[in-house]
Amino acid sequence: QVQLVESGGGLVQTGGSLRLSCAASGLTFSTYTMGWFRQAPGKEREFVAAINWSGGSATYADSVKGRFAISRDNAKNTVYLQINNLKPEDTAVYYCAAGSVYYIFTSNVDYWGKGTLVTVSS
């Protein structure tokens, strides 16, 4: 019954911004590390950002530091990803993830969303 539902993807020009949302249900949201991963066609799924249970600690992939920001609202069971100054290489399906460990990787995620597509035009 656990569901992670992403929204907010779309087609954006280079330099534009988007805010992705992930609404979680069926789990005790405040006990999970939440994160975002992405996967481009022909490439492996890669880590983008994660935020711990309380929202007090966040980590980012080097490729998105300074442009992306992750946040969470435990009262709304929702995690967000603000993405700014988009580049064509950011084009990918973005997946929301939940993990019961402090640091999450593709190998230890407990639950995945279905993904939302972000396309950056040049």
Side-chain angles (χ1 to χ4, degrees):
Q1 196 171 347
V2 173
Q3 290 188 333
L4 305 177
V5 181
E6 303 96 335
S7 62
L11 175 62
V12 185
Q13 294 181 352
T14 298
S17 299
L18 285 173
R19 190 178 77 154
L20 307 183
S21 298
C22 172
S25 61
L27 53 74
T28 306
F29 184 78
S30 62
T31 68
Y32 282 82
T33 294
M34 301 298 299
W36 291 91
F37 294 75
R38 67 185 182 185
Q39 187 169 21
K43 296 184 178 180
E44 296 182 359
R45 189 169 299 187
E46 65 176 356
F47 171 80
V48 175
I51 188 166
N52 77 328
W53 296 269
S54 67
S57 180
T59 56
Y60 299 91
D62 288 342
S63 60
V64 305
K65 286 181 179 178
R67 299 188 298 119
F68 289 21
I70 189 171
S71 61
R72 67 190 294 164
D73 186 339
N74 287 350
K76 296 182 178 180
N77 287 359
T78 302
V79 62
Y80 306 94
L81 185 69
Q82 178 68 43
I83 49 182
N84 300 320
N85 193 23
L86 280 160
K87 303 175 180 180
E89 53 263 42
D90 295 320
T91 295
V93 176
Y94 284 71
Y95 296 93
C96 181
S100 57
V101 296
Y102 196 86
Y103 295 103
I104 55 172
F105 307 89
T106 55
S107 59
N108 65 7
V109 168
D110 293 315
Y111 305 105
W112 293 97
K114 298 296 184 182
T116 185
L117 177 63
V118 173
T119 303
V120 184
S121 63
S122 59

Coordinates of all heavy atoms in Angstrom, one line a residue, residues 14-91:
T14 N 16.7 25.5 -21.5 CA 18.0 25.6 -20.8 C 17.9 26.9 -19.9 O 17.6 28.0 -20.4 CB 19.1 25.6 -21.8 OG1 19.2 24.4 -22.5 CG2 20.5 25.9 -21.0
G15 N 18.3 26.8 -18.7 CA 18.4 27.9 -17.8 C 17.1 28.1 -17.0 O 17.1 28.9 -16.0
G16 N 16.1 27.3 -17.3 CA 14.8 27.4 -16.6 C 14.8 26.6 -15.3 O 15.8 26.0 -14.9
S17 N 13.7 26.7 -14.6 CA 13.5 26.0 -13.3 C 12.2 25.2 -13.2 O 11.3 25.5 -13.9 CB 13.5 27.1 -12.2 OG 14.7 27.9 -12.1
L18 N 12.3 24.2 -12.3 CA 11.1 23.4 -12.0 C 11.1 23.1 -10.5 O 12.2 23.1 -9.9 CB 11.1 22.1 -12.8 CG 10.7 22.1 -14.3 CD1 11.0 20.7 -14.9 CD2 9.3 22.5 -14.5
R19 N 10.0 22.7 -10.0 CA 9.9 22.2 -8.6 C 9.2 20.8 -8.7 O 8.0 20.8 -9.1 CB 9.2 23.1 -7.6 CG 9.4 22.5 -6.2 CD 8.8 23.4 -5.1 NE 7.3 23.3 -5.1 CZ 6.6 23.5 -4.0 NH1 7.2 23.9 -2.9 NH2 5.3 23.4 -4.0
L20 N 9.9 19.8 -8.4 CA 9.3 18.5 -8.3 C 8.7 18.2 -7.0 O 9.3 18.6 -6.0 CB 10.3 17.4 -8.7 CG 11.1 17.6 -10.0 CD1 12.0 16.4 -10.3 CD2 10.1 17.8 -11.2
S21 N 7.6 17.4 -6.9 CA 7.0 17.1 -5.6 C 6.9 15.5 -5.6 O 6.6 14.9 -6.6 CB 5.7 17.7 -5.4 OG 5.8 19.1 -5.4
C22 N 6.9 15.0 -4.4 CA 6.7 13.6 -4.2 C 5.8 13.4 -3.0 O 6.2 13.7 -1.9 CB 8.0 12.8 -4.0 SG 7.8 11.1 -3.5
A23 N 4.6 12.9 -3.2 CA 3.6 12.7 -2.2 C 3.7 11.2 -1.7 O 3.5 10.3 -2.6 CB 2.2 13.1 -2.6
A24 N 3.9 11.0 -0.5 CA 4.0 9.6 0.1 C 2.8 9.3 0.9 O 2.2 10.1 1.6 CB 5.3 9.5 0.9
S25 N 2.5 8.0 0.8 CA 1.4 7.5 1.6 C 1.7 6.0 1.9 O 2.4 5.3 1.3 CB 0.0 7.6 0.9 OG 0.1 6.8 -0.4
G26 N 1.1 5.5 3.0 CA 1.2 4.1 3.4 C 2.5 3.8 4.2 O 2.8 2.6 4.5
L27 N 3.2 4.8 4.6 CA 4.4 4.7 5.4 C 4.5 5.7 6.5 O 3.9 6.8 6.4 CB 5.7 4.6 4.6 CG 6.0 5.7 3.6 CD1 6.5 7.0 4.3 CD2 7.0 5.3 2.6
T28 N 5.3 5.5 7.5 CA 5.6 6.5 8.5 C 6.6 7.4 8.0 O 7.8 7.2 8.2 CB 6.0 5.8 9.8 OG1 5.0 4.8 10.2 CG2 6.1 6.9 10.9
F29 N 6.2 8.5 7.3 CA 7.1 9.3 6.5 C 8.2 9.9 7.3 O 9.4 9.9 6.8 CB 6.2 10.4 5.9 CG 7.0 11.3 5.0 CD1 7.2 11.0 3.7 CD2 7.4 12.6 5.4 CE1 7.9 11.8 2.8 CE2 8.1 13.4 4.6 CZ 8.3 13.0 3.3
S30 N 8.0 10.3 8.5 CA 9.0 11.0 9.3 C 10.2 10.1 9.7 O 11.2 10.6 10.2 CB 8.4 11.7 10.5 OG 7.8 10.7 11.4
T31 N 10.0 8.8 9.6 CA 11.1 7.8 9.9 C 12.0 7.4 8.7 O 12.9 6.6 8.9 CB 10.5 6.6 10.6 OG1 9.8 5.8 9.6 CG2 9.6 6.9 11.7
Y32 N 11.7 7.9 7.6 CA 12.4 7.5 6.4 C 13.3 8.7 5.8 O 12.9 9.8 5.8 CB 11.5 7.1 5.2 CG 10.9 5.8 5.4 CD1 9.8 5.5 6.3 CD2 11.4 4.7 4.7 CE1 9.3 4.3 6.4 CE2 10.9 3.4 4.9 CZ 9.8 3.2 5.7 OH 9.3 1.9 5.9
T33 N 14.5 8.3 5.4 CA 15.3 9.2 4.6 C 14.6 9.2 3.2 O 14.3 8.2 2.7 CB 16.7 8.7 4.5 OG1 17.4 8.8 5.7 CG2 17.5 9.5 3.5
M34 N 14.5 10.4 2.7 CA 13.9 10.6 1.4 C 14.9 11.1 0.4 O 15.8 11.9 0.7 CB 12.7 11.6 1.4 CG 11.6 11.1 2.4 SD 10.8 9.6 1.9 CE 10.1 10.0 0.3
G35 N 14.7 10.8 -0.9 CA 15.7 11.2 -1.9 C 15.2 11.2 -3.3 O 14.0 10.8 -3.5
W36 N 16.0 11.7 -4.1 CA 15.7 11.8 -5.6 C 16.8 11.1 -6.3 O 18.0 11.4 -6.1 CB 15.5 13.2 -6.1 CG 14.3 13.9 -5.5 CD1 14.1 14.6 -4.4 CD2 13.0 13.8 -6.1 NE1 12.8 15.0 -4.2 CE2 12.1 14.6 -5.3 CE3 12.4 13.3 -7.3 CZ2 10.7 14.8 -5.6 CZ3 11.1 13.4 -7.6 CH2 10.3 14.2 -6.7
F37 N 16.5 10.3 -7.3 CA 17.4 9.7 -8.3 C 16.9 10.1 -9.7 O 15.8 10.5 -9.8 CB 17.5 8.2 -8.1 CG 18.1 7.8 -6.8 CD1 17.3 7.9 -5.6 CD2 19.4 7.3 -6.7 CE1 17.9 7.5 -4.4 CE2 19.9 6.8 -5.5 CZ 19.1 6.9 -4.3
R38 N 17.8 9.9 -10.6 CA 17.4 10.2 -12.0 C 18.0 9.1 -12.9 O 19.1 8.6 -12.7 CB 17.7 11.6 -12.5 CG 19.2 11.9 -12.6 CD 19.4 13.4 -12.9 NE 20.8 13.7 -13.1 CZ 21.3 14.9 -13.2 NH1 20.4 16.0 -13.3 NH2 22.6 15.1 -13.4
Q39 N 17.4 8.9 -14.1 CA 17.9 8.0 -15.1 C 17.6 8.5 -16.5 O 16.4 8.7 -16.8 CB 17.3 6.6 -14.9 CG 17.9 5.5 -15.8 CD 17.4 4.1 -15.3 OE1 16.4 4.0 -14.7 NE2 18.2 3.1 -15.7
A40 N 18.6 8.7 -17.2 CA 18.5 9.1 -18.6 C 18.5 7.8 -19.5 O 19.1 6.8 -19.1 CB 19.7 10.0 -19.0
P41 N 18.0 7.9 -20.7 CA 18.0 6.7 -21.6 C 19.4 6.2 -21.8 O 20.3 7.0 -22.1 CB 17.3 7.3 -22.9 CG 16.5 8.4 -22.4 CD 17.2 9.0 -21.3
G42 N 19.5 4.9 -21.7 CA 20.8 4.3 -21.9 C 21.8 4.5 -20.8 O 23.0 4.0 -20.9
K43 N 21.5 5.1 -19.7 CA 22.4 5.3 -18.6 C 21.8 4.6 -17.3 O 20.6 4.3 -17.2 CB 22.6 6.8 -18.3 CG 23.3 7.5 -19.5 CD 23.5 9.0 -19.1 CE 24.3 9.7 -20.2 NZ 24.5 11.1 -19.8
E44 N 22.7 4.4 -16.3 CA 22.3 3.9 -15.0 C 21.6 4.9 -14.2 O 21.8 6.1 -14.3 CB 23.5 3.4 -14.3 CG 24.2 2.2 -15.0 CD 25.4 1.7 -14.1 OE1 25.7 2.3 -13.0 OE2 26.1 0.7 -14.6
R45 N 20.7 4.4 -13.3 CA 20.1 5.3 -12.4 C 21.1 5.9 -11.4 O 22.0 5.2 -10.9 CB 19.0 4.6 -11.6 CG 18.1 5.5 -10.7 CD 16.9 4.7 -10.2 NE 16.1 4.2 -11.3 CZ 14.9 3.6 -11.1 NH1 14.4 3.5 -9.9 NH2 14.2 3.2 -12.2
E46 N 21.1 7.2 -11.2 CA 22.1 7.9 -10.4 C 21.5 8.7 -9.3 O 20.4 9.2 -9.4 CB 23.0 8.7 -11.3 CG 22.3 9.9 -11.9 CD 23.2 10.8 -12.7 OE1 24.5 10.6 -12.6 OE2 22.8 11.8 -13.3
F47 N 22.2 8.8 -8.2 CA 21.8 9.6 -7.1 C 21.8 11.1 -7.4 O 22.7 11.6 -8.1 CB 22.8 9.3 -5.9 CG 22.6 10.2 -4.7 CD1 21.5 10.0 -3.8 CD2 23.4 11.3 -4.5 CE1 21.3 10.8 -2.7 CE2 23.2 12.1 -3.4 CZ 22.2 11.9 -2.5
V48 N 20.8 11.8 -6.9 CA 20.7 13.2 -7.1 C 20.8 14.0 -5.8 O 21.7 14.9 -5.6 CB 19.4 13.6 -7.8 CG1 19.3 15.2 -7.9 CG2 19.4 13.0 -9.2
A49 N 19.9 13.6 -4.8 CA 19.9 14.3 -3.6 C 19.1 13.5 -2.5 O 18.3 12.7 -2.9 CB 19.2 15.7 -3.7
A50 N 19.4 13.7 -1.3 CA 18.7 13.0 -0.2 C 18.6 14.0 1.0 O 19.4 14.9 1.2 CB 19.4 11.7 0.2
I51 N 17.6 13.7 1.8 CA 17.4 14.5 3.1 C 17.0 13.5 4.2 O 16.2 12.6 4.0 CB 16.3 15.6 2.8 CG1 16.2 16.5 4.0 CG2 15.0 15.0 2.4 CD1 15.5 17.8 3.6
N52 N 17.5 13.8 5.4 CA 17.3 12.8 6.5 C 15.9 13.0 7.1 O 15.1 13.8 6.7 CB 18.4 12.9 7.5 CG 18.3 14.2 8.4 OD1 17.8 15.2 8.0 ND2 18.7 14.0 9.6
W53 N 15.7 12.2 8.1 CA 14.3 12.1 8.7 C 13.8 13.5 9.1 O 12.6 13.8 8.9 CB 14.3 11.2 10.0 CG 14.7 9.8 9.7 CD1 13.8 8.8 9.4 CD2 16.0 9.2 9.6 NE1 14.4 7.6 9.2 CE2 15.8 7.8 9.4 CE3 17.3 9.7 9.8 CZ2 16.8 6.9 9.3 CZ3 18.3 8.8 9.7 CH2 18.1 7.4 9.5
S54 N 14.6 14.3 9.8 CA 14.1 15.6 10.3 C 14.2 16.7 9.3 O 13.7 17.8 9.6 CB 14.9 15.9 11.6 OG 16.3 16.2 11.3
G55 N 15.0 16.5 8.2 CA 15.2 17.6 7.3 C 16.4 18.4 7.6 O 16.7 19.4 6.9
G56 N 17.2 18.1 8.7 CA 18.3 18.9 9.1 C 19.6 18.6 8.3 O 20.6 19.3 8.5
S57 N 19.6 17.6 7.5 CA 20.8 17.2 6.8 C 20.5 16.8 5.4 O 19.5 16.0 5.2 CB 21.6 16.1 7.5 OG 22.7 15.7 6.8
A58 N 21.2 17.3 4.4 CA 20.9 17.0 3.0 C 22.3 16.8 2.3 O 23.3 17.4 2.6 CB 20.2 18.1 2.3
T59 N 22.2 15.9 1.3 CA 23.4 15.6 0.5 C 23.0 15.7 -1.0 O 21.9 15.5 -1.4 CB 24.0 14.3 0.8 OG1 23.0 13.2 0.6 CG2 24.5 14.2 2.2
Y60 N 24.0 16.1 -1.8 CA 23.8 16.3 -3.2 C 24.9 15.7 -4.1 O 26.0 15.6 -3.6 CB 23.7 17.8 -3.6 CG 22.6 18.5 -2.9 CD1 22.8 19.1 -1.7 CD2 21.3 18.6 -3.5 CE1 21.8 19.8 -1.0 CE2 20.3 19.3 -2.8 CZ 20.5 19.9 -1.6 OH 19.5 20.5 -1.0
A61 N 24.5 15.2 -5.3 CA 25.5 14.9 -6.2 C 26.3 16.1 -6.7 O 25.7 17.2 -6.7 CB 24.9 14.2 -7.4
D62 N 27.6 15.9 -7.0 CA 28.4 17.1 -7.4 C 27.8 17.8 -8.6 O 27.9 19.0 -8.7 CB 29.8 16.6 -7.7 CG 30.6 16.2 -6.4 OD1 30.2 16.6 -5.3 OD2 31.6 15.5 -6.6
S63 N 27.2 17.1 -9.5 CA 26.7 17.7 -10.7 C 25.5 18.6 -10.5 O 25.2 19.4 -11.4 CB 26.3 16.5 -11.7 OG 25.3 15.7 -11.1
V64 N 24.9 18.6 -9.3 CA 23.7 19.4 -9.1 C 23.9 20.4 -8.0 O 23.0 21.2 -7.7 CB 22.5 18.6 -8.9 CG1 22.2 17.6 -10.0 CG2 22.5 17.9 -7.5
K65 N 25.0 20.4 -7.3 CA 25.3 21.3 -6.2 C 25.2 22.7 -6.6 O 25.8 23.1 -7.7 CB 26.6 21.0 -5.5 CG 26.7 19.7 -4.7 CD 28.1 19.5 -4.1 CE 28.1 18.3 -3.2 NZ 29.5 18.1 -2.6
G66 N 24.5 23.5 -5.9 CA 24.3 24.9 -6.2 C 23.2 25.2 -7.1 O 22.8 26.4 -7.3
R67 N 22.6 24.2 -7.7 CA 21.5 24.4 -8.6 C 20.2 23.7 -8.1 O 19.1 24.2 -8.4 CB 21.8 23.8 -10.0 CG 23.0 24.5 -10.7 CD 23.1 24.0 -12.1 NE 23.4 22.6 -12.2 CZ 22.6 21.7 -12.9 NH1 21.5 22.2 -13.5 NH2 22.9 20.5 -12.9
F68 N 20.3 22.6 -7.4 CA 19.2 21.8 -6.9 C 19.1 22.0 -5.4 O 20.1 22.1 -4.7 CB 19.3 20.3 -7.2 CG 19.2 20.0 -8.7 CD1 19.3 20.9 -9.7 CD2 18.9 18.6 -9.0 CE1 19.2 20.5 -11.0 CE2 18.7 18.3 -10.3 CZ 18.9 19.2 -11.3
A69 N 17.9 21.9 -4.8 CA 17.7 22.0 -3.4 C 16.5 21.0 -3.0 O 15.4 21.1 -3.6 CB 17.3 23.4 -3.0
I70 N 16.8 20.1 -2.1 CA 15.8 19.2 -1.6 C 15.3 19.7 -0.3 O 16.0 20.3 0.6 CB 16.4 17.8 -1.4 CG1 15.3 16.7 -1.1 CG2 17.5 17.7 -0.4 CD1 15.8 15.3 -1.2
S71 N 14.0 19.4 0.0 CA 13.3 19.8 1.2 C 12.2 18.8 1.5 O 11.8 18.1 0.6 CB 12.8 21.2 1.2 OG 11.8 21.4 0.2
R72 N 11.7 18.8 2.7 CA 10.6 17.9 3.1 C 9.7 18.6 4.0 O 10.1 19.4 4.8 CB 11.1 16.6 3.6 CG 11.8 16.7 5.0 CD 12.5 15.4 5.4 NE 11.5 14.3 5.6 CZ 11.8 13.0 5.6 NH1 13.1 12.6 5.4 NH2 10.8 12.1 5.8
D73 N 8.4 18.2 4.0 CA 7.4 18.7 4.9 C 6.7 17.4 5.5 O 5.9 16.8 4.9 CB 6.4 19.5 4.1 CG 5.4 20.2 5.1 OD1 5.2 19.7 6.2 OD2 4.7 21.2 4.7
N74 N 7.2 17.1 6.7 CA 6.7 15.9 7.3 C 5.2 15.9 7.6 O 4.5 14.9 7.6 CB 7.5 15.5 8.6 CG 8.9 15.0 8.3 OD1 9.2 14.7 7.1 ND2 9.7 15.0 9.3
A75 N 4.7 17.1 7.9 CA 3.2 17.3 8.1 C 2.4 16.9 6.9 O 1.2 16.5 7.0 CB 2.9 18.7 8.6
K76 N 3.0 17.1 5.7 CA 2.3 16.8 4.5 C 2.7 15.6 3.8 O 2.3 15.3 2.7 CB 2.4 18.0 3.5 CG 1.8 19.3 4.0 CD 1.9 20.4 3.0 CE 1.3 21.7 3.5 NZ 1.4 22.8 2.5
N77 N 3.7 14.8 4.4 CA 4.2 13.6 3.8 C 4.7 13.9 2.4 O 4.5 13.1 1.5 CB 3.2 12.5 3.8 CG 2.9 11.9 5.2 OD1 3.5 12.3 6.2 ND2 2.0 11.0 5.3
T78 N 5.4 14.9 2.2 CA 5.9 15.4 0.9 C 7.3 15.8 0.9 O 7.8 16.4 1.8 CB 5.0 16.5 0.4 OG1 3.6 16.1 0.4 CG2 5.4 16.9 -1.0
V79 N 8.1 15.4 -0.1 CA 9.4 15.8 -0.4 C 9.5 16.6 -1.7 O 8.8 16.2 -2.6 CB 10.4 14.6 -0.3 CG1 10.1 13.6 -1.4 CG2 11.9 15.1 -0.4
Y80 N 10.3 17.6 -1.8 CA 10.4 18.4 -2.9 C 11.8 18.5 -3.5 O 12.8 18.2 -2.7 CB 10.0 19.9 -2.6 CG 8.7 20.0 -1.9 CD1 8.5 20.0 -0.5 CD2 7.5 20.1 -2.7 CE1 7.3 20.1 0.1 CE2 6.3 20.2 -2.1 CZ 6.2 20.3 -0.7 OH 4.9 20.4 -0.1
L81 N 11.9 18.8 -4.7 CA 13.2 19.0 -5.4 C 13.1 20.3 -6.2 O 12.4 20.3 -7.3 CB 13.7 17.9 -6.2 CG 15.1 18.0 -6.8 CD1 16.1 17.9 -5.7 CD2 15.4 16.9 -7.8
Q82 N 13.7 21.4 -5.8 CA 13.8 22.6 -6.5 C 15.0 22.5 -7.5 O 16.1 22.3 -7.0 CB 13.9 23.8 -5.6 CG 14.0 25.1 -6.4 CD 12.7 25.5 -7.1 OE1 11.6 25.4 -6.5 NE2 12.9 26.0 -8.3
I83 N 14.7 22.6 -8.7 CA 15.8 22.5 -9.7 C 15.9 23.8 -10.5 O 15.0 24.2 -11.2 CB 15.7 21.3 -10.6 CG1 14.2 21.2 -11.2 CG2 15.9 20.0 -9.9 CD1 14.0 20.0 -12.1
N84 N 17.1 24.4 -10.5 CA 17.3 25.7 -11.1 C 18.4 25.6 -12.1 O 19.3 24.7 -12.1 CB 17.7 26.8 -10.0 CG 16.6 27.0 -9.0 OD1 15.4 27.0 -9.3 ND2 17.0 27.2 -7.8
N85 N 18.4 26.6 -13.0 CA 19.5 26.7 -14.1 C 19.6 25.3 -14.8 O 20.8 24.8 -14.9 CB 20.8 27.2 -13.4 CG 21.8 27.6 -14.5 OD1 21.5 27.9 -15.6 ND2 23.1 27.5 -14.1
L86 N 18.6 24.8 -15.3 CA 18.6 23.5 -15.9 C 19.5 23.5 -17.1 O 19.5 24.4 -17.9 CB 17.2 23.1 -16.3 CG 16.4 22.5 -15.1 CD1 14.9 22.6 -15.4 CD2 16.8 21.1 -14.8
K87 N 20.1 22.3 -17.3 CA 21.0 22.1 -18.4 C 20.5 20.9 -19.2 O 19.8 20.0 -18.7 CB 22.4 21.8 -18.0 CG 23.0 22.9 -17.1 CD 24.4 22.5 -16.6 CE 25.0 23.6 -15.7 NZ 26.3 23.2 -15.2
P88 N 20.8 20.8 -20.5 CA 20.4 19.6 -21.3 C 20.7 18.3 -20.7 O 20.0 17.3 -20.8 CB 21.0 19.8 -22.6 CG 21.2 21.3 -22.8 CD 21.5 21.8 -21.4
E89 N 21.9 18.2 -20.0 CA 22.3 17.0 -19.4 C 21.5 16.6 -18.1 O 21.7 15.5 -17.6 CB 23.8 17.0 -19.0 CG 24.2 18.2 -18.2 CD 24.8 19.4 -19.0 OE1 24.2 19.6 -20.1 OE2 25.8 20.0 -18.6
D90 N 20.6 17.5 -17.7 CA 19.7 17.2 -16.6 C 18.5 16.4 -17.1 O 17.7 15.9 -16.3 CB 19.2 18.4 -15.9 CG 20.3 19.2 -15.2 OD1 21.2 18.5 -14.6 OD2 20.3 20.4 -15.2
T91 N 18.3 16.3 -18.4 CA 17.2 15.5 -19.0 C 17.2 14.1 -18.5 O 18.2 13.4 -18.7 CB 17.2 15.6 -20.5 OG1 17.0 16.9 -20.9 CG2 16.1 14.7 -21.1

